Amino acid sequence: MNPAPSIVFFTTASGAGYGLLFWLGVLRPLRLLPASPSFALLALAIALLLITAGLASSLLHLGRPERAWRALSQWRSSWLSREGVAAIATYVPAGIMGLALLADRPGLATVAGMAAAIGAAVTVWCTGMIYASLKTVRQWHHPSVAPGYLLFAGFTGAMLLAAIGALAGRPVVPAMLSILLAIGALAAKRSYWKAMDAPKPAAAPTLESATGLGFIGRTRPLDPPHTEQNWLLREMGFRLARKHREKLRNLVILGFVATIPLALLAMIIGGPFGALLMVLAALAALAAMLAERWLMFAEATHTVTLYYNGES
Amino acid sequence: MTEIPPSSGKKLGLVIDLDTCVGCQACATNCKQWNAGGHLAPLPDMKPYSAGAEGVWFNRVHSYEAGEGAEGRTVHFPRSCLHCETPACVTVCPTGASYKRAEDGIVLVNTDTCIGCGLCAWACPYGARELDEDEGVMKKCTLCVDRIYNETIPEAQRKPACVITCPVGARHFGDLGDPGSDVSQLVAARGGFDLMPEMGYAPTNKYLPPRRPMAPNPNPPAEAEPTPLDLKNPLLRWLDRALSR
Ligand code: SF4
Ligand code: SF4
């Protein structure tokens, strides 16, 4: 599948923003974060900025962005529509939380923050389900894909919260959390790749089942229907990644792993230098996440490629 | 609404005979011709007169080799929307632009409300939807909804453009929801099948399998002897007569 830059950026940026919003809403009432309203306001502003930038980028992916509001109508059947509804709904408690912080209403800020955390989790789940519900793409139609979106959003969000906390002088809880989530993300990615590299299940579609010609024998393409490209092949027949798969996977692993010593060191050193290391760890997490999302598309194969090259 | 409506029982669709299709591309060409001005018009062509020409087509004809040796066959294979009974291309659509008609089962796109997100094309296993990058909206086979009910054209022509143009009669159109219809009878008689049934989309269109090649005759007729008239050379003709005595 074609890794459109607008979508790769969207899921990375919005994912991190929703993760940040989630941990802010959950950890603040537990008194595990710096208590000052200015800290919460800064974290909230960064979260909303990332979310909004991501959503704006996702609009660029549309053929008719000016009609995007129509996408809010089919939440009964469509995960994309549900994602849109959840994304917009989440702005409401997030906005109330910001106003409550400004107006010094801590009780309201706590309640709104928890509601925003729920909204953030629901939105990311919907994003994951857009992909996980597609039977046509074997690499996405996998039980770990939607939970993976939650995990990666939680990981990058916790990294960001730790970085902001380090700037405010109190990073320990989100930093510990982000290290745990980094280990979880590593394990999840490794087991996902292992599952993907295993031989295809026998029930997976083949050119024989796609054409119904299997009763004659092994089937292979002879003449293509067109000699030039078309949108289908550019969108679904993207092949570059499989060539560089190992290198890119190692890059993702490296990025995830690097965050762990960086975050540990940052906690030990503390002070401005520790804060710098924590910011570096967050940036490494985001960079690795961009590579992971790019691979998630680029490695995915669509059943239509069976018709063109006999494999998917 | 992008929920699948309850079926009226009528399931209009195509039956495509892989035994007779000769891969001439006439169906694809006539489809492009009609639909460039039809219900989902226009069908864009990018760089039509230079290298890199490409555009939206509703119908693409592939050719495959199946089997080996004497059993092997070349099979031409037209691929277009199958107007599935449970198509995810409809349910994934966030706007309701992708819809299935209750009255006859035709799957269509409303290009006035489509946002061009492309998700429906991702959801179609058969590659039946192509994005119109000029207009920014999705396009697909309409089963020539603007022909089959069109009272301004002669009744005999109220069929999809691909069906009326096929020079070998490899394409048939009718109601596959009615077991007594010509197309349903044909599917029953020839063992018509679904493409990728394991995807669970329940395609309406059916494909008819290539017939088995005829087995060689176990008692071939003895080779006929040449008659004197077949021998043009006078010397050979004399030799034949002399030896036949
Ligand atoms: S063939 Fe594809 S586009 Fe047509 S109804 Fe089935 S899933 Fe939808
Ligand atoms: S491209 Fe158009 S028809 Fe297809 S899912 Fe998106 S809005 Fe619906």
Side-chain angles (χ1 to χ4, degrees), chain B residues 126-203:
Chain B
Y126 310 100
R129 294 173 168 246
E130 301 191 11
L131 188 73
D132 175 342
E133 290 169 280
D134 254 355
E135 221 186 317
V137 296
M138 197 54 74
K139 301 269 166 102
K140 69 176 289 301
C141 160
T142 65
L143 205 62
C144 283
V145 67
D146 42 8
R147 292 187 68 91
I148 58 179
Y149 297 114
N150 192 336
E151 290 180 359
T152 65
I153 57 177
E155 200 172 341
Q157 289 187 21
R158 290 179 205 158
K159 287 179 177 175
C162 56
V163 173
I164 49 170
T165 205
C166 177
V168 296
R171 304 178 70 96
H172 308 267
F173 164 72
D175 180 4
L176 287 146
D178 168 8
S181 69
D182 287 353
V183 280
S184 298
Q185 302 276 323
L186 187 60
V187 170
R190 291 276 307 280
F193 55 80
D194 288 351
L195 304 184
M196 274 192 258
E198 65 273 32
M199 296 300 293
Y201 283 48

Side-chain angles (χ1 to χ4, degrees), chain A residues 1-308:
Chain A
M1 303 294 289
N2 173 33
S6 52
I7 297 288
V8 171
F9 176 78
F10 157 60
T11 55
T12 306
S14 292
Y18 283 121
L20 178 55
L21 188 60
F22 177 82
W23 292 123
L24 182 68
V26 170
L27 296 182
R28 236 181 125 256
L30 300 174
R31 305 193 186 287
L32 297 172
L33 294 176
S36 74
S38 61
F39 168 83
L41 271 173
L42 179 66
L44 182 66
I46 291 176
L48 289 179
L49 194 76
L50 281 169
I51 290 168
T52 310
L55 290 174
S57 153
S58 77
L59 293 186
L60 293 180
H61 179 72
L62 301 180
R64 300 298 287 256
E66 78 281 7
R67 296 178 180 166
W69 58 272
R70 292 188 182 275
L72 302 175
S73 64
Q74 303 303 311
W75 47 269
R76 274 192 224 74
S77 72
S78 162
W79 283 106
L80 178 53
S81 186
R82 287 173 198 159
E83 179 199 42
V85 171
I88 289 182
T90 304
Y91 275 105
V92 176
I96 293 176
M97 181 188 187
L99 291 177
L101 286 168
L102 285 173
D104 200 16
R105 299 273 297 278
L108 183 59
T110 299
V111 173
M114 290 195 297
I118 294 171
V122 170
T123 310
V124 173
W125 178 257
C126 291
T127 309
M129 283 308 292
I130 295 174
Y131 301 96
S133 66
L134 291 175
K135 279 195 212 164
T136 48
V137 182
R138 183 173 62 93
Q139 291 84 350
W140 292 349
H141 192 61
H142 188 267
S144 78
V145 164
Y149 269 74
L150 282 182
L151 177 63
F152 299 132
F155 163 56
T156 45
M159 277 288 169
L160 284 172
L161 192 58
I164 302 166
L167 294 172
R170 203 185 150 196
V172 174
V173 172
M176 295 295 286
L177 184 69
S178 60
I179 289 171
L180 283 180
L181 289 168
I183 295 169
L186 272 170
K189 220 48 241 188
R190 293 198 82 103
S191 81
Y192 170 79
W193 282 329
K194 206 166 152 227
M196 287 306 120
D197 292 344
K200 262 201 277 182
T206 57
L207 180 55
E208 283 77 13
S209 73
T211 58
L213 298 177
F215 76 95
I216 303 178
R218 198 176 62 85
T219 306
R220 59 263 176 208
L222 180 64
D223 277 328
H226 44 98
T227 49
E228 298 284 355
Q229 276 282 20
N230 69 354
W231 179 79
L232 277 179
L233 286 175
R234 275 182 281 118
E235 182 74 3
M236 330 253 190
F238 191 85
R239 304 184 63 96
L240 191 64
R242 273 161 271 172
K243 208 164 120 206
H244 305 296
R245 166 170 16 215
E246 285 313 314
K247 278 189 200 136
L248 287 165
R249 284 183 179 180
N250 287 338
L251 209 68
V252 173
I253 298 279
L254 188 75
F256 283 1
V257 169
T259 60
I260 298 173
L262 280 172
L264 278 175
L265 259 182
M267 279 191 288
I268 295 166
I269 296 176
F273 194 62
L276 180 70
L277 285 180
M278 207 55 237
V279 171
L280 274 182
L283 290 178
L286 286 176
M289 222 39 241
L290 278 177
E292 191 276 341
R293 282 295 138 81
W294 192 89
L295 260 183
M296 184 80 190
F297 277 88
E299 282 200 278
T301 54
H302 192 281
T303 50
V304 69
T305 57
L306 287 171
Y307 288 107
Y308 280 94

